[in-house]
Amino acid sequence: GAVVSQHPSRVICKSGTSVKIECRSLDFQATTMFWYRQFPKQSLMLMATSNEGSKATYEQGVEKDKFLINHASLTLSTLTVTSAHPEDSSFYICSARPLVAGHSYEQYFGPGTRLTVT
Amino acid sequence: RKEVEQDPGPFNVPEGATVAFNCTYSNSASQSFFWYRQDCRKEPKLLMSVYSSGNEDGRFTAQLNRASQYISLLIRDSKLSDSATYLCVVNHGDYKLSFGAGTTVTVRA
């Protein structure tokens, strides 16, 4: 159980184009999904927190107009990188927190999407 | 100061050896602590939660020292498959996780 999928796993796009990444919880409902970015040899950095049916909350320094997040259902969140630039090339990982009673801080991670902008 | 700091390593150990490493966190209000494992170019996978009294899961033992604000992970009888980057992860009670940059462990035959 607790499987999260991401699509695509790898994408190469040209500078100036937009790329959409999907994150799905396959066997559970997720109240909250998180989007992270990881540069080589660095830790995961939280970009935004996405709650179903409401606007995402972005971390300081993350441009909300550049990284559009939509969380349309309890099993799907999307991240769209708009007008991509080479410096946006990174490993993008989503995670999902199960809809459970009480407190649970565990998150389940998707396999990640490697974005290369040329 | 980073929220979560780890010795990056690498720790190179022979099979069967014991390896241990720590992580420190800066927020004294942190509530939950985890060790995740990340293989090269893959997503992090939860290895174990860390409880106040310390806990063991097979060959892995985790300890928490709230007074000194550090967490440790000890791996006994290392296997080749234990080679990975181990991420120290802390939660402050708001469901957001803070990650350390990871400690790399390489187990050699």
Side-chain angles (χ1 to χ4, degrees):
Chain A
V3 178
V4 176
S5 70
Q6 265 184 257
H7 178 79
S9 57
R10 183 183 294 268
V11 58
I12 301 172
C13 70
K14 291 189 176 179
S15 201
T17 61
S18 294
V19 174
K20 181 187 280 190
I21 302 169
E22 290 187 351
C23 176
R24 291 181 188 272
S25 54
L26 298 185
D27 51 2
F28 65 98
Q29 291 184 320
T31 14
T32 307
M33 289 185 172
F34 302 87
W35 286 96
Y36 296 85
R37 181 166 54 183
Q38 186 178 33
F39 291 107
K41 297 192 185 301
Q42 294 186 26
S43 61
L44 276 74
M45 295 301 296
L46 180 65
M47 299 175 67
T49 303
S50 166
N51 291 297
E52 184 263 338
S54 62
K55 288 185 179 179
T57 303
Y58 290 81
E59 295 300 299
Q60 195 171 12
V62 178
E63 300 174 57
K64 61 178 171 49
D65 294 329
K66 180 169 180 62
F67 298 99
L68 301 179
I69 291 172
N70 183 275
H71 193 153
S73 76
L74 285 172
T75 59
L76 172 65
S77 176
T78 61
L79 168 69
T80 301
V81 182
T82 62
S83 187
H85 289 286
E87 56 265 31
D88 297 326
S89 299
S90 187
F91 191 45
Y92 291 86
I93 308 176
C94 72
S95 71
R97 185 174 79 85
L99 177 63
V100 292
H103 294 291
S104 173
Y105 301 113
E106 289 184 17
Q107 295 178 18
Y108 299 95
F109 287 83
T113 296
R114 194 160 298 280
L115 170 64
T116 304
V117 184
T118 60
Chain B
R1 184 184 172 188
K2 292 181 183 176
E3 287 190 55
V4 182
E5 298 211 50
Q6 292 183 248
D7 179 347
F11 288 78
N12 293 305
V13 299
E15 263 188 299
T18 295
V19 60
F21 41 87
N22 293 340
C23 128
T24 57
Y25 59 95
S26 60
N27 188 338
S28 59
S30 299
Q31 297 190 9
S32 301
F33 309 89
F34 308 93
W35 283 104
Y36 278 73
R37 171 196 169 124
Q38 187 174 26
D39 293 296
C40 189
R41 303 172 81 86
K42 298 281 179 106
E43 79 278 19
K45 290 188 189 292
L46 179 65
L47 180 67
M48 59 196 299
S49 301
V50 186
Y51 302 119
S52 296
S53 54
N55 49 301
E56 199 172 293
D57 183 358
R59 297 180 294 106
F60 298 85
T61 301
Q63 297 279 354
L64 167 63
N65 185 317
R66 284 190 184 271
S68 301
Q69 294 182 207
Y70 77 83
I71 307 145
S72 64
L73 181 67
L74 181 144
I75 307 173
R76 285 189 305 278
D77 188 22
S78 301
K79 311 289 184 194
L80 293 176
S81 57
D82 294 334
S83 298
T85 297
Y86 291 85
L87 307 176
C88 176
V89 183
V90 173
N91 175 275
H92 313 305
D94 58 359
Y95 302 112
K96 292 196 280 190
L97 300 180
S98 295
F99 285 78
T103 297
T104 299
V105 173
T106 303
V107 182
R108 60 182 189 276

